Amino acid sequence: MKAVVFYEHNTDKTMDEFMEVFPRHETFEAEFLKSGKVLGTGAFSNPGEGAMAIFINKEAAEEFVNGDPFVQEGLIAKVTIREWNDELA
């Protein structure tokens, strides 16, 4: 079963703080993409609405969240992981 991660941004943090951490987040994310553990990821189109990603399973989602520099640096206020039945797979 796949898993979807929802990130809610910490509204106390500035865009400059996000951009300072972004290169480390991007490098970390690239490793997951190469491994095939993440199927899609990105921010929502309206600023401040957060982001989401789809992973191959819950374990991969948890591994990502636990290692993500955005989470480690306190830039994410809330993380929600939901298992998801992909009807197209």
Side-chain angles (χ1 to χ4, degrees):
M1 183 178 303
K2 292 180 181 157
V4 179
V5 173
F6 296 95
Y7 275 3
E8 293 181 30
H9 295 157
N10 186 338
T11 57
D12 293 338
K13 302 296 182 179
T14 66
M15 184 56 72
D16 287 342
E17 289 174 289
F18 273 92
M19 295 314 296
E20 182 179 319
V21 177
F22 182 75
R24 289 187 289 132
H25 166 80
E26 190 173 45
T27 299
F28 182 74
E29 182 180 73
E31 291 301 315
F32 269 76
L33 288 167
K34 279 193 266 181
S35 73
K37 293 180 182 179
V38 63
L39 305 173
T41 183
F44 292 111
S45 61
N46 292 324
E49 286 188 346
M52 68 170 274
I54 302 170
F55 292 85
I56 59 168
N57 56 39
K58 185 176 181 183
E59 292 76 21
E62 290 170 340
E63 181 183 351
F64 184 87
V65 168
N66 290 332
D68 186 1
F70 279 168
V71 174
Q72 293 176 341
E73 295 290 332
L75 298 172
I76 304 303
K78 181 179 177 186
V79 175
T80 303
I81 299 175
R82 293 190 180 157
E83 290 186 291
W84 177 54
N85 291 314
D86 183 355
E87 294 182 8
L88 300 178

